Amino acid sequence: LVDGERFVADYLVHETLDKKVGNGGTIGQIWGALLYFCFPFTLILFPSIRAIWRRRRTSEMLRFILCWSWAPALFFTLYPYRVKTYLYLLVPAVTILVDWGYVVDGRSKFYRFVVFLSGLLMFAVLALLAIILQRAEIVPLWVNLGFIGAGLVALVCGLRDWMRGLALCGLAAVFFFHAASVSIGETDIRGLR
């Protein structure tokens, strides 16, 4: 309303059309980011897709995933700019896909093996992170114990094939990541204060 020409020049042309090439990332790098956003469900995603694809009765699930995903997928494939922010739009769809795949095919040996492997990897990653942060002495002890505890429970859930428990451990890991980042930020800001 104030300056339409400036809006077109600065926002529409410069921020949208000129940044179509984005940050120079390839399509593989863009979509690869979705896989680590969905940790610890990354490995479980693939047998879930296979299980749902093989069961024709779950066609409404495929329709839901396609309807949820096509617009953001098209957008940040064409405009790979700040793509890691936009990828969060697809994480809920992936989580629902994993859960439905578990309902459809959760009793197969292959699926149970992938759930176990996911729990094992989650334990290894969280334990390694706790060791690194403890050696650096930049976070409180309770954060490191939280990482180790969430990893141990994830390992037990992976062994027992408790999908919902693994999901709760994933949420706990996100909480402890947040607590660790806040703690590290407080250490940096304390000197400035």
Side-chain angles (χ1 to χ4, degrees):
L1 291 174
V2 175
D3 192 344
E5 289 183 14
R6 198 167 155 198
F7 166 77
V8 170
D10 288 350
Y11 180 76
L12 190 63
V13 175
H14 178 67
E15 291 293 326
T16 305
L17 297 177
D18 287 350
K19 290 186 176 177
K20 181 179 178 183
V21 294
N23 51 15
T26 64
I27 291 178
Q29 290 171 330
I30 293 167
W31 287 97
L34 182 63
L35 295 179
Y36 64 77
F37 275 147
C38 295
F39 179 81
F41 306 117
T42 302
L43 294 178
I44 305 171
L45 175 64
F46 300 106
S48 291
I49 292 172
R50 187 189 72 160
I52 289 174
W53 191 260
R54 289 167 64 190
R55 299 278 180 115
R56 298 299 175 205
R57 289 175 295 178
T58 55
S59 60
E60 69 277 0
M61 177 62 191
L62 292 174
R63 280 199 298 269
F64 167 74
I65 294 296
L66 289 174
C67 289
W68 182 294
S69 304
W70 76 266
L74 181 66
F75 173 75
F76 61 73
T77 298
L78 296 176
Y79 288 85
Y81 177 64
R82 293 181 186 160
V83 71
K84 292 187 171 83
T85 305
Y86 301 130
L87 271 171
Y88 281 114
L89 295 170
L90 295 179
V91 172
V94 170
T95 306
I96 292 170
L97 183 67
V98 165
D99 188 59
W100 275 56
Y102 182 74
V103 169
V104 170
D105 199 29
R107 297 294 125 210
S108 73
K109 288 183 180 179
F110 179 67
Y111 207 101
R112 283 184 295 185
F113 172 72
V114 173
V115 170
F116 161 71
L117 193 59
S118 297
L120 183 67
L121 283 175
M122 189 173 174
F123 168 71
V125 168
L126 292 178
L128 183 64
L129 184 65
I131 291 170
I132 291 170
L133 291 175
Q134 183 62 32
R135 298 267 307 168
E137 297 180 355
I138 53 178
V139 296
L141 182 61
W142 70 270
V143 174
N144 293 326
L145 292 176
F147 277 128
I148 292 171
L152 279 173
V153 176
L155 182 61
V156 170
C157 290
L159 283 169
R160 303 297 243 157
D161 194 29
W162 293 336
M163 187 67 188
R164 298 289 162 91
L166 193 62
L168 288 174
C169 289
L171 290 173
V174 170
F175 167 74
F176 288 115
F177 273 114
H178 179 69
S181 63
V182 168
S183 177
I184 292 169
E186 283 295 318
T187 305
D188 291 339
I189 292 171
R190 192 176 299 126
L192 295 173
R193 287 180 183 156

